[in-house]
Amino acid sequence: MPRPLTLLLAALACSSASADEGKWFLSFHTGRSVVWIGGEDEREAFAMGIGYSRPDPRMKAGTRPGNLDLYLYFERSWSTPQDDVPHVASDAVGFLAAASWEDMWTKEFGTYLRLGWGIQVQNRTSNDLDSVLNSSPVLGFGMIFRCGSEFRIGVDYLHLSNGGTAGRNLGQNQLMVSLTVRVQ
């Protein structure tokens, strides 16, 4: 794990929050790329990571309180067999910062919405990603279950792109199903 990202995550997580305000999560994601908006490479992916979420007044939407969510993750992705696209498997490390909003409908059940941005560093380029460093806006939503611990099941849309800084910049659109478990 790159040391600067670890230090950044720790610094952001500890800034202006007491220990009892924040929540730590482990997350697991699986999914595939959706070939649209320019992409050609059909890929499957698996990711796992650690996240920290805490209330943050800067993240509120109107009168709705919001949270600052920070995620550090590892992703493995690979091309599915296609005649015209080279098969490439890649590993990546990413960091996401997002605003999130929770609505608890009962004490045990609720929903969440997350919107954010991050960066991802890959070990090799692929057909749709001509750079090893890519921007990664994210939109996620799902359900919250509190039964003993807190579990979240959701869907994340992650767009990876180098912003036109290298190659054709087709970009990659990942649709991932996620399971997140609170660990503290």
Side-chain angles (χ1 to χ4, degrees):
M1 182 179 314
R3 188 175 177 99
L5 285 177
T6 305
L7 294 174
L8 178 62
L9 179 66
L12 287 171
C14 294
S15 67
S16 72
S18 66
D20 60 339
E21 286 183 322
K23 302 176 196 179
W24 286 93
F25 293 96
L26 291 177
S27 63
F28 306 91
H29 311 264
T30 186
R32 62 182 305 131
S33 63
V34 181
V35 180
W36 60 333
I37 313 175
E40 298 172 344
D41 191 2
E42 295 177 8
R43 299 179 71 78
E44 294 185 18
F46 173 79
M48 58 186 164
I50 186 166
Y52 181 77
S53 178
R54 67 169 170 85
D56 190 314
R58 297 170 293 188
M59 301 300 150
K60 75 178 190 174
T63 59
R64 178 181 301 274
N67 299 311
L68 173 63
D69 296 353
L70 305 169
Y71 293 94
L72 185 61
Y73 65 91
F74 168 81
E75 178 183 275
R76 173 93 173 145
S77 69
W78 56 96
S79 301
T80 58
Q82 300 170 69
D83 292 335
D84 56 344
V85 176
H87 176 76
V88 174
S90 62
D91 296 325
V93 175
F95 174 77
L96 294 171
S100 70
W101 303 273
E102 300 174 5
D103 279 317
M104 293 306 296
W105 300 2
T106 69
K107 188 175 179 180
E108 296 86 19
F109 176 75
T111 58
Y112 71 88
L113 174 67
R114 172 177 48 241
L115 180 63
W117 207 284
I119 58 168
Q120 187 184 85
V121 179
Q122 299 184 147
N123 66 334
R124 65 180 51 95
T125 61
S126 64
N127 187 71
D128 292 344
L129 299 174
D130 299 302
S131 173
V132 295
L133 177 63
N134 292 287
S135 168
S136 57
V138 65
L139 172 65
F141 61 91
M143 299 175 291
I144 302 169
F145 301 96
R146 293 182 178 154
C147 49
S149 186
E150 182 173 315
F151 302 90
R152 295 175 181 222
I153 298 172
V155 175
D156 291 312
Y157 168 73
L158 186 71
H159 175 74
L160 298 167
S161 170
N162 65 44
T165 60
R168 299 178 306 156
N169 190 40
L170 295 177
Q172 190 179 103
N173 299 289
Q174 296 180 347
L175 197 55
M176 306 285 274
V177 174
S178 64
L179 170 64
T180 305
V181 180
R182 183 174 176 183
V183 292
Q184 185 249 353

